[in-house]
Amino acid sequence: MESLMNLCIHGVIASGVDTLRDRVEHNMAKGGSEFCTEWSLADLGDNKFIWLGNITDIEAMGAMLSTPEEVQWDKDNGAVYKVYSMAEMVE
C-alpha cells in the first residue's frame, strides 16, 4: 500500500534538524502517533527542513502544536515554519 502524505511543514530550526527529529519522536511517543500514521523529515542543509506526514486528525495535530509547551519549544530552538496541506495529483 502506498503512503499518503497530506501535510507539509517547511522551515528552519536554529538548533538543528537533529533536534527537531528528536522532538518529533518525542511527540509521536506522547500521543502524536494517534493522528499521524507516518512521517518523514528531510534535512535541506543550513538548518532548513521539510517534514511530511499522513495526518488523520488535523485538529488534534493543531492542538498538539499550539500548546504553550510546544510554542515555547519552538521559540527556544529557533523553529520558524509554515504548514501546507497537500493532496495527490491524479490524471
Side-chain angles (χ1 to χ4, degrees):
M1 184 168 126
E2 288 187 31
S3 301
L4 172 65
M5 298 298 197
N6 59 5
L7 196 78
C8 173
I9 301 176
H10 178 245
V12 63
I13 181 163
S15 60
V17 176
D18 287 337
T19 303
L20 178 59
R21 184 178 313 281
D22 291 344
R23 187 61 177 190
V24 172
E25 290 171 355
H26 166 82
N27 284 343
M28 289 301 140
K30 193 173 96 174
S33 61
E34 293 178 19
F35 54 81
C36 179
T37 62
E38 187 174 352
W39 62 276
S40 181
L41 178 62
D43 185 339
L44 304 179
D46 295 325
N47 294 334
K48 297 175 186 172
F49 67 89
I50 291 180
W51 181 92
L52 302 174
N54 181 32
I55 307 303
T56 58
D57 184 344
I58 196 70
E59 288 82 18
M61 172 125 182
M64 176 179 266
L65 293 180
S66 63
T67 65
E69 175 188 356
E70 286 300 313
V71 171
Q72 188 61 50
W73 189 92
D74 286 347
K75 287 180 187 175
D76 292 348
N77 289 279
V80 179
Y81 53 86
K82 291 186 179 182
V83 180
Y84 303 90
S85 63
M86 301 187 314
E88 181 180 9
M89 293 177 65
V90 293
E91 293 181 40

Coordinates of all heavy atoms in Angstrom, one line a residue:
M1 N 0.8 -1.2 0.0 CA 0.0 0.0 0.0 C 0.9 1.2 0.0 O 1.8 1.3 0.8 CB -0.9 0.0 1.2 CG -1.9 1.1 1.3 SD -3.1 0.8 2.6 CE -2.9 2.3 3.5
E2 N 0.5 2.2 -0.8 CA 1.3 3.4 -0.9 C 1.0 4.4 0.2 O -0.2 4.4 0.7 CB 1.0 4.1 -2.2 CG 1.6 3.4 -3.4 CD 1.5 4.3 -4.7 OE1 1.5 5.5 -4.6 OE2 1.4 3.6 -5.7
S3 N 1.9 5.2 0.6 CA 1.7 6.2 1.7 C 1.0 7.4 1.1 O 1.2 7.7 -0.1 CB 3.1 6.7 2.2 OG 3.8 5.6 2.8
L4 N 0.2 8.0 1.9 CA -0.5 9.2 1.5 C 0.0 10.3 2.5 O -0.3 10.3 3.7 CB -2.0 9.1 1.6 CG -2.7 10.4 1.4 CD1 -2.5 11.0 0.0 CD2 -4.2 10.3 1.7
M5 N 0.8 11.2 2.0 CA 1.3 12.3 2.8 C 0.4 13.5 2.5 O 0.3 13.9 1.4 CB 2.8 12.6 2.6 CG 3.7 11.5 2.9 SD 3.7 11.0 4.6 CE 5.2 10.1 4.7
N6 N -0.3 14.1 3.5 CA -1.2 15.1 3.3 C -0.9 16.4 4.0 O -1.6 17.4 3.9 CB -2.6 14.7 3.7 CG -2.7 14.3 5.1 OD1 -1.8 14.4 5.9 ND2 -3.9 13.8 5.5
L7 N 0.3 16.5 4.7 CA 0.7 17.7 5.4 C 2.2 17.9 5.2 O 3.0 17.0 5.3 CB 0.4 17.6 6.9 CG 0.4 18.9 7.6 CD1 -0.9 19.7 7.3 CD2 0.6 18.7 9.1
C8 N 2.6 19.1 4.9 CA 4.0 19.5 4.7 C 4.3 20.7 5.6 O 3.5 21.7 5.7 CB 4.2 19.9 3.2 SG 5.8 20.6 2.9
I9 N 5.4 20.6 6.3 CA 5.9 21.7 7.1 C 7.3 22.0 6.6 O 8.2 21.2 6.5 CB 6.0 21.3 8.6 CG1 4.6 20.9 9.2 CG2 6.6 22.5 9.4 CD1 4.6 20.5 10.6
H10 N 7.5 23.3 6.2 CA 8.7 23.7 5.6 C 9.2 24.9 6.5 O 8.5 25.8 6.8 CB 8.5 24.3 4.2 CG 9.7 24.8 3.6 ND1 9.9 26.1 3.2 CD2 10.9 24.2 3.2 CE1 11.0 26.3 2.7 NE2 11.7 25.1 2.7
G11 N 10.5 24.7 6.9 CA 11.0 25.8 7.8 C 12.5 25.7 8.1 O 13.2 25.0 7.4
V12 N 12.9 26.4 9.1 CA 14.3 26.4 9.6 C 14.3 26.3 11.1 O 13.3 26.7 11.8 CB 15.0 27.7 9.1 CG1 14.3 29.0 9.8 CG2 16.4 27.7 9.4
I13 N 15.3 25.6 11.7 CA 15.4 25.5 13.1 C 16.9 25.7 13.5 O 17.8 25.0 13.1 CB 14.9 24.1 13.6 CG1 15.1 24.0 15.1 CG2 15.6 23.0 12.8 CD1 14.3 22.8 15.7
A14 N 17.1 26.8 14.3 CA 18.4 27.2 14.6 C 19.2 26.2 15.4 O 20.4 26.1 15.2 CB 18.3 28.5 15.5
S15 N 18.5 25.4 16.2 CA 19.2 24.3 17.0 C 19.5 23.1 16.2 O 20.2 22.1 16.7 CB 18.4 24.0 18.2 OG 17.1 23.5 17.9
G16 N 19.1 23.0 14.9 CA 19.5 21.9 14.0 C 18.4 20.9 13.8 O 17.5 20.7 14.7
V17 N 18.4 20.3 12.7 CA 17.4 19.3 12.3 C 17.4 18.1 13.1 O 16.3 17.5 13.4 CB 17.5 19.0 10.8 CG1 16.5 17.9 10.3 CG2 17.3 20.2 9.9
D18 N 18.5 17.7 13.7 CA 18.5 16.5 14.6 C 17.7 16.8 15.8 O 17.1 15.9 16.4 CB 20.0 16.1 14.9 CG 20.7 15.4 13.8 OD1 20.0 14.9 12.9 OD2 21.9 15.5 13.7
T19 N 17.8 18.0 16.3 CA 17.0 18.4 17.5 C 15.5 18.3 17.2 O 14.7 17.8 18.0 CB 17.3 19.9 17.9 OG1 18.7 20.0 18.2 CG2 16.5 20.3 19.1
L20 N 15.1 18.7 16.0 CA 13.7 18.6 15.5 C 13.3 17.2 15.4 O 12.2 16.8 15.8 CB 13.5 19.4 14.2 CG 12.1 19.3 13.6 CD1 11.1 19.8 14.6 CD2 12.1 20.0 12.3
R21 N 14.2 16.3 14.9 CA 13.9 14.9 14.7 C 13.6 14.3 16.1 O 12.7 13.6 16.3 CB 15.0 14.2 14.0 CG 14.7 12.7 13.8 CD 15.9 12.0 13.0 NE 16.4 12.8 11.9 CZ 15.8 12.8 10.7 NH1 14.7 12.1 10.5 NH2 16.3 13.5 9.7
D22 N 14.4 14.6 17.1 CA 14.2 14.2 18.4 C 12.9 14.6 19.0 O 12.2 13.9 19.7 CB 15.4 14.6 19.4 CG 16.7 14.0 19.1 OD1 16.7 12.9 18.4 OD2 17.7 14.5 19.5
R23 N 12.5 15.9 18.7 CA 11.3 16.4 19.2 C 10.1 15.7 18.5 O 9.1 15.4 19.2 CB 11.2 17.9 19.0 CG 10.0 18.6 19.6 CD 10.0 18.4 21.1 NE 8.8 19.1 21.7 CZ 8.7 19.2 23.0 NH1 9.6 18.8 23.8 NH2 7.7 19.8 23.5
V24 N 10.2 15.5 17.2 CA 9.1 14.7 16.5 C 8.9 13.4 17.2 O 7.8 12.9 17.4 CB 9.4 14.7 15.0 CG1 8.3 13.7 14.4 CG2 9.3 16.0 14.4
E25 N 10.0 12.7 17.4 CA 9.9 11.3 18.0 C 9.3 11.4 19.4 O 8.5 10.6 19.8 CB 11.3 10.7 18.0 CG 11.8 10.3 16.6 CD 13.2 9.8 16.5 OE1 13.9 9.9 17.6 OE2 13.6 9.4 15.4
H26 N 9.7 12.4 20.2 CA 9.1 12.7 21.5 C 7.6 12.9 21.4 O 6.8 12.3 22.1 CB 9.8 13.9 22.1 CG 9.0 14.5 23.3 ND1 9.2 13.9 24.6 CD2 8.2 15.5 23.4 CE1 8.4 14.6 25.4 NE2 7.8 15.6 24.7
N27 N 7.2 13.7 20.4 CA 5.7 14.0 20.3 C 5.0 12.8 19.8 O 3.8 12.6 20.1 CB 5.5 15.2 19.3 CG 5.8 16.5 20.0 OD1 5.9 16.6 21.2 ND2 6.1 17.5 19.2
M28 N 5.6 12.0 18.9 CA 4.9 10.7 18.5 C 4.7 9.8 19.7 O 3.6 9.2 19.8 CB 5.8 10.0 17.4 CG 5.8 10.7 16.1 SD 4.2 10.9 15.4 CE 4.4 12.5 14.7
A29 N 5.7 9.7 20.6 CA 5.5 8.8 21.7 C 4.5 9.4 22.7 O 3.9 8.7 23.5 CB 6.9 8.6 22.4
K30 N 4.4 10.7 22.7 CA 3.5 11.4 23.6 C 2.0 11.4 23.1 O 1.2 12.0 23.8 CB 4.0 12.9 23.8 CG 3.4 13.7 24.9 CD 4.1 15.0 25.0 CE 3.3 16.1 24.3 NZ 3.8 17.4 24.5
G31 N 1.7 10.8 22.0 CA 0.4 10.8 21.5 C 0.2 11.2 20.1 O -0.9 11.0 19.5
G32 N 1.2 11.7 19.5 CA 1.1 12.1 18.1 C 0.8 11.0 17.1 O 0.2 11.2 16.1
S33 N 1.2 9.8 17.5 CA 1.0 8.6 16.6 C -0.5 8.3 16.5 O -0.8 7.5 15.6 CB 1.8 7.4 17.1 OG 1.4 7.1 18.4
E34 N -1.3 8.8 17.4 CA -2.7 8.6 17.3 C -3.4 9.3 16.1 O -4.4 8.8 15.6 CB -3.4 9.1 18.6 CG -3.1 8.3 19.8 CD -3.7 8.8 21.0 OE1 -4.8 9.5 20.9 OE2 -3.3 8.4 22.1
F35 N -2.7 10.3 15.6 CA -3.3 11.1 14.4 C -2.3 11.2 13.3 O -2.6 11.8 12.3 CB -3.8 12.4 14.8 CG -2.9 13.3 15.6 CD1 -1.9 14.0 14.9 CD2 -2.9 13.4 17.0 CE1 -1.0 14.8 15.6 CE2 -2.0 14.2 17.7 CZ -1.1 14.9 17.0
C36 N -1.0 10.8 13.5 CA 0.0 10.8 12.4 C 0.5 9.4 12.2 O 1.2 8.8 13.0 CB 1.1 11.7 12.9 SG 2.5 11.8 11.6
T37 N 0.0 8.8 11.1 CA 0.3 7.4 10.9 C 1.7 7.2 10.2 O 2.2 6.1 10.3 CB -0.8 6.8 10.0 OG1 -0.8 7.4 8.7 CG2 -2.1 6.9 10.6
E38 N 2.2 8.2 9.6 CA 3.6 8.1 9.0 C 4.1 9.5 8.8 O 3.4 10.4 8.6 CB 3.4 7.4 7.6 CG 4.7 7.1 7.0 CD 4.6 6.3 5.7 OE1 3.4 5.9 5.4 OE2 5.6 6.1 5.0
W39 N 5.4 9.6 8.9 CA 6.1 10.9 8.7 C 7.5 10.7 8.2 O 8.1 9.6 8.4 CB 6.1 11.7 10.0 CG 6.9 11.1 11.2 CD1 6.4 10.2 12.1 CD2 8.2 11.4 11.5 NE1 7.4 9.9 13.0 CE2 8.5 10.6 12.7 CE3 9.2 12.2 11.0 CZ2 9.8 10.6 13.3 CZ3 10.5 12.2 11.6 CH2 10.7 11.4 12.8
S40 N 8.0 11.8 7.6 CA 9.4 11.8 7.1 C 9.9 13.2 7.3 O 9.2 14.2 7.1 CB 9.4 11.4 5.6 OG 10.7 11.4 5.1
L41 N 11.2 13.3 7.7 CA 11.9 14.6 7.9 C 13.1 14.6 7.0 O 14.0 13.8 7.1 CB 12.2 14.7 9.4 CG 13.0 16.0 9.7 CD1 12.1 17.3 9.5 CD2 13.4 16.0 11.2
A42 N 13.2 15.7 6.2 CA 14.3 15.9 5.3 C 15.1 17.1 5.7 O 14.6 18.1 5.9 CB 13.8 16.0 3.8
D43 N 16.4 16.9 5.8 CA 17.4 17.9 6.2 C 17.8 18.5 4.9 O 18.5 17.9 4.0 CB 18.6 17.3 6.9 CG 19.5 18.3 7.4 OD1 19.6 19.5 6.9 OD2 20.3 18.0 8.4
L44 N 17.5 19.8 4.7 CA 17.8 20.5 3.4 C 19.2 21.3 3.5 O 19.6 21.9 2.6 CB 16.7 21.5 3.1 CG 15.3 20.9 2.9 CD1 14.3 22.0 2.6 CD2 15.3 19.8 1.9
G45 N 19.9 21.2 4.6 CA 21.1 21.9 4.8 C 20.8 23.3 5.4 O 19.7 23.8 5.3
D46 N 21.8 23.9 6.1 CA 21.7 25.2 6.7 C 20.5 25.3 7.6 O 19.8 26.3 7.7 CB 21.5 26.3 5.6 CG 22.8 26.4 4.7 OD1 23.9 26.2 5.2 OD2 22.6 26.7 3.5
N47 N 20.2 24.2 8.4 CA 19.2 24.1 9.4 C 17.8 24.2 8.8 O 16.8 24.4 9.5 CB 19.4 25.1 10.5 CG 20.6 24.9 11.3 OD1 21.0 23.7 11.4 ND2 21.1 25.9 11.9
K48 N 17.6 24.1 7.5 CA 16.3 24.1 6.8 C 15.8 22.7 6.7 O 16.6 21.7 6.6 CB 16.4 24.7 5.4 CG 16.8 26.1 5.4 CD 17.0 26.6 4.0 CE 17.6 28.0 4.0 NZ 18.0 28.5 2.6
F49 N 14.5 22.5 6.7 CA 13.9 21.2 6.7 C 12.5 21.2 6.0 O 11.9 22.2 5.8 CB 13.7 20.7 8.2 CG 12.6 21.4 8.9 CD1 11.3 21.1 8.9 CD2 13.0 22.5 9.7 CE1 10.4 21.8 9.6 CE2 12.1 23.2 10.4 CZ 10.7 22.9 10.4
I50 N 12.2 20.0 5.6 CA 10.8 19.7 5.2 C 10.3 18.5 5.9 O 11.0 17.5 6.0 CB 10.7 19.5 3.7 CG1 10.9 20.8 2.9 CG2 9.3 18.9 3.3 CD1 10.9 20.6 1.4
W51 N 9.2 18.6 6.6 CA 8.6 17.4 7.3 C 7.3 17.1 6.5 O 6.5 18.0 6.2 CB 8.2 17.8 8.7 CG 7.6 16.7 9.5 CD1 8.3 15.9 10.3 CD2 6.2 16.4 9.7 NE1 7.4 15.0 10.9 CE2 6.1 15.4 10.6 CE3 5.1 17.0 9.1 CZ2 4.9 14.8 10.9 CZ3 3.9 16.4 9.5 CH2 3.8 15.3 10.4
L52 N 7.1 15.8 6.2 CA 5.9 15.3 5.6 C 5.2 14.3 6.5 O 5.8 13.5 7.1 CB 6.2 14.6 4.2 CG 6.9 15.5 3.2 CD1 7.3 14.6 2.0 CD2 6.1 16.7 2.8
G53 N 3.9 14.4 6.6 CA 3.2 13.5 7.4 C 1.8 13.1 6.9 O 1.2 13.9 6.1
N54 N 1.3 11.9 7.3 CA 0.0 11.5 7.0 C -0.8 11.7 8.2 O -0.7 11.0 9.2 CB 0.0 10.0 6.6 CG -1.5 9.6 6.2 OD1 -2.3 10.4 5.7 ND2 -1.8 8.3 6.5
I55 N -1.6 12.8 8.2 CA -2.4 13.2 9.4 C -3.9 12.8 9.2 O -4.5 13.2 8.2 CB -2.3 14.7 9.6 CG1 -0.8 15.2 9.6 CG2 -3.0 15.2 10.8 CD1 0.0 14.5 10.6
T56 N -4.4 12.0 10.2 CA -5.8 11.6 10.1 C -6.7 12.5 10.9 O -7.9 12.4 10.7 CB -5.9 10.1 10.7 OG1 -5.4 10.1 12.0 CG2 -5.0 9.2 9.8
D57 N -6.2 13.4 11.8 CA -7.0 14.3 12.5 C -6.2 15.6 12.6 O -5.4 15.8 13.5 CB -7.3 13.7 13.9 CG -8.2 14.6 14.7 OD1 -8.4 15.8 14.4 OD2 -8.8 14.1 15.7
I58 N -6.5 16.5 11.7 CA -5.7 17.8 11.6 C -6.0 18.6 12.9 O -5.1 19.4 13.3 CB -6.0 18.5 10.3 CG1 -5.0 19.6 10.0 CG2 -7.4 19.1 10.3 CD1 -3.6 19.1 9.7
E59 N -7.2 18.6 13.4 CA -7.5 19.4 14.6 C -6.6 18.9 15.8 O -6.1 19.7 16.6 CB -9.0 19.3 15.0 CG -9.9 20.1 14.0 CD -10.2 19.3 12.7 OE1 -10.0 18.0 12.7 OE2 -10.6 19.9 11.7
A60 N -6.5 17.6 15.9 CA -5.6 17.1 17.0 C -4.2 17.5 16.8 O -3.5 17.9 17.8 CB -5.8 15.6 17.1
M61 N -3.7 17.5 15.6 CA -2.3 17.9 15.3 C -2.2 19.4 15.7 O -1.2 19.8 16.3 CB -2.0 17.6 13.9 CG -0.6 18.2 13.5 SD 0.4 17.0 12.8 CE 1.9 18.0 12.5
G62 N -3.1 20.2 15.2 CA -3.1 21.6 15.5 C -3.1 21.9 17.0 O -2.4 22.7 17.5
A63 N -3.9 21.1 17.8 CA -4.0 21.3 19.2 C -2.6 20.9 19.8 O -2.2 21.7 20.7 CB -5.1 20.4 19.8
M64 N -2.0 19.9 19.4 CA -0.7 19.5 20.0 C 0.4 20.5 19.7 O 1.2 20.9 20.6 CB -0.2 18.1 19.4 CG 1.2 17.7 19.9 SD 1.7 16.1 19.3 CE 1.2 15.1 20.7
L65 N 0.4 21.1 18.5 CA 1.4 22.0 18.1 C 1.2 23.4 18.7 O 2.2 24.2 18.7 CB 1.5 22.1 16.6 CG 2.0 20.9 15.8 CD1 2.1 21.1 14.3 CD2 3.4 20.4 16.4
S66 N 0.0 23.7 19.2 CA -0.2 25.0 19.7 C -0.3 25.1 21.2 O -0.6 26.1 21.8 CB -1.5 25.6 19.1 OG -2.6 24.7 19.5
T67 N 0.1 24.0 21.9 CA 0.2 24.0 23.4 C 1.3 25.0 23.8 O 2.2 25.3 23.1 CB 0.5 22.7 24.0 OG1 1.8 22.3 23.6 CG2 -0.5 21.6 23.6
P68 N 1.2 25.6 25.0 CA 2.2 26.5 25.5 C 3.6 25.9 25.5 O 4.6 26.5 25.1 CB 1.7 26.9 26.9 CG 0.3 26.7 26.8 CD 0.0 25.6 25.9
E69 N 3.7 24.6 25.8 CA 4.9 23.9 25.8 C 5.6 23.8 24.4 O 6.8 24.1 24.2 CB 4.7 22.4 26.3 CG 6.0 21.6 26.2 CD 5.7 20.1 26.6 OE1 4.6 19.7 26.9 OE2 6.7 19.3 26.4
E70 N 4.7 23.5 23.4 CA 5.3 23.5 22.0 C 5.6 24.8 21.5 O 6.7 25.0 20.8 CB 4.2 22.8 21.1 CG 4.1 21.3 21.3 CD 5.4 20.6 21.0 OE1 6.1 20.8 20.0 OE2 5.7 19.7 21.8
V71 N 4.8 25.8 21.8 CA 5.1 27.2 21.3 C 6.5 27.6 22.0 O 7.3 28.2 21.3 CB 4.0 28.2 21.7 CG1 4.4 29.6 21.5 CG2 2.7 27.8 20.9
Q72 N 6.7 27.3 23.2 CA 7.9 27.7 23.9 C 9.1 26.9 23.3 O 10.2 27.5 23.1 CB 7.8 27.5 25.4 CG 9.0 28.0 26.2 CD 9.2 29.6 26.0 OE1 8.2 30.3 26.2 NE2 10.4 30.0 25.7
W73 N 8.9 25.6 23.0 CA 10.0 24.8 22.5 C 10.4 25.4 21.1 O 11.6 25.5 20.8 CB 9.5 23.4 22.3 CG 10.6 22.5 21.9 CD1 11.4 21.7 22.7 CD2 11.1 22.2 20.5 NE1 12.3 21.1 22.0 CE2 12.2 21.3 20.6 CE3 10.7 22.7 19.3 CZ2 12.9 20.9 19.5 CZ3 11.4 22.2 18.2 CH2 12.4 21.3 18.3
D74 N 9.4 25.8 20.3 CA 9.7 26.5 19.0 C 10.6 27.7 19.2 O 11.6 27.9 18.6 CB 8.5 26.8 18.3 CG 7.8 25.6 17.6 OD1 8.4 24.5 17.6 OD2 6.6 25.8 17.2
K75 N 10.2 28.6 20.2 CA 11.0 29.8 20.5 C 12.4 29.5 21.0 O 13.3 30.0 20.5 CB 10.2 30.6 21.5 CG 9.0 31.3 21.0 CD 8.3 32.1 22.1 CE 7.0 32.7 21.7 NZ 6.3 33.4 22.7
D76 N 12.5 28.5 21.9 CA 13.8 28.2 22.5 C 14.7 27.6 21.5 O 15.9 27.7 21.6 CB 13.6 27.1 23.6 CG 12.9 27.7 24.8 OD1 12.7 29.0 24.9 OD2 12.5 26.9 25.7
N77 N 14.2 26.9 20.4 CA 15.0 26.3 19.4 C 15.1 27.0 18.1 O 15.7 26.5 17.2 CB 14.5 24.8 19.2 CG 14.9 24.0 20.4 OD1 16.0 23.5 20.6 ND2 13.9 23.8 21.3
G78 N 14.5 28.2 18.1 CA 14.6 29.0 16.8 C 13.9 28.3 15.7 O 14.3 28.4 14.5
A79 N 12.7 27.7 15.9 CA 12.0 27.0 14.9 C 11.0 28.0 14.3 O 10.1 28.5 15.0 CB 11.2 25.8 15.4
V80 N 11.1 28.2 13.0 CA 10.2 29.0 12.2 C 9.7 28.3 11.0 O 10.6 27.8 10.3 CB 10.8 30.4 11.8 CG1 9.9 31.2 11.0 CG2 11.4 31.1 13.0
Y81 N 8.4 28.1 10.8 CA 7.9 27.2 9.7 C 6.6 27.6 9.3 O 5.9 28.4 9.9 CB 7.9 25.8 10.2 CG 7.2 25.5 11.5 CD1 5.8 25.3 11.5 CD2 7.9 25.5 12.7 CE1 5.1 25.1 12.7 CE2 7.2 25.3 13.9 CZ 5.8 25.1 13.9 OH 5.1 24.9 15.0
K82 N 6.2 27.1 8.1 CA 4.9 27.3 7.6 C 4.3 25.9 7.3 O 5.1 24.9 7.0 CB 4.9 28.0 6.2 CG 5.2 29.5 6.4 CD 5.1 30.3 5.2 CE 5.4 31.8 5.4 NZ 5.2 32.6 4.2
V83 N 3.0 25.7 7.5 CA 2.4 24.4 7.3 C 1.5 24.5 6.1 O 0.8 25.4 5.8 CB 1.5 24.1 8.5 CG1 0.8 22.8 8.4 CG2 2.3 24.1 9.8
Y84 N 1.6 23.4 5.2 CA 0.9 23.4 4.0 C 0.1 22.0 3.9 O 0.6 21.0 4.3 CB 1.8 23.4 2.8 CG 2.7 24.6 2.7 CD1 3.9 24.6 3.3 CD2 2.3 25.7 2.0 CE1 4.8 25.7 3.3 CE2 3.1 26.9 2.0 CZ 4.3 26.8 2.6 OH 5.2 27.9 2.6
S85 N -1.2 22.1 3.5 CA -1.9 20.9 3.2 C -1.6 20.4 1.8 O -1.2 21.2 0.9 CB -3.4 21.1 3.3 OG -3.9 22.0 2.4
M86 N -1.6 19.1 1.6 CA -1.3 18.5 0.3 C -2.3 17.5 -0.1 O -3.0 16.9 0.7 CB 0.1 17.8 0.3 CG 1.2 18.6 0.7 SD 2.8 17.8 0.6 CE 2.6 16.2 1.3
A87 N -2.5 17.4 -1.4 CA -3.3 16.3 -2.0 C -2.6 15.7 -3.2 O -1.9 16.4 -3.9 CB -4.7 16.9 -2.4
E88 N -2.9 14.4 -3.4 CA -2.2 13.7 -4.5 C -2.8 14.3 -5.8 O -4.0 14.5 -5.9 CB -2.5 12.2 -4.4 CG -1.9 11.4 -5.5 CD -2.2 9.9 -5.4 OE1 -3.0 9.5 -4.5 OE2 -1.6 9.2 -6.2
M89 N -2.0 14.5 -6.8 CA -2.4 14.9 -8.1 C -2.7 13.6 -8.9 O -1.8 12.7 -9.0 CB -1.4 15.7 -8.8 CG -1.2 17.1 -8.1 SD 0.1 18.1 -8.9 CE -0.5 18.4 -10.5
V90 N -3.8 13.5 -9.5 CA -4.2 12.3 -10.3 C -4.5 12.8 -11.7 O -5.0 13.9 -11.9 CB -5.3 11.5 -9.7 CG1 -4.9 10.9 -8.4 CG2 -6.5 12.4 -9.5
E91 N -4.4 11.9 -12.6 CA -4.7 12.2 -14.0 C -6.2 12.3 -14.3 O -7.0 11.7 -13.6 CB -4.1 11.2 -15.0 CG -2.6 11.2 -14.9 CD -2.0 10.2 -15.9 OE1 -2.6 10.0 -17.0 OE2 -1.1 9.5 -15.5

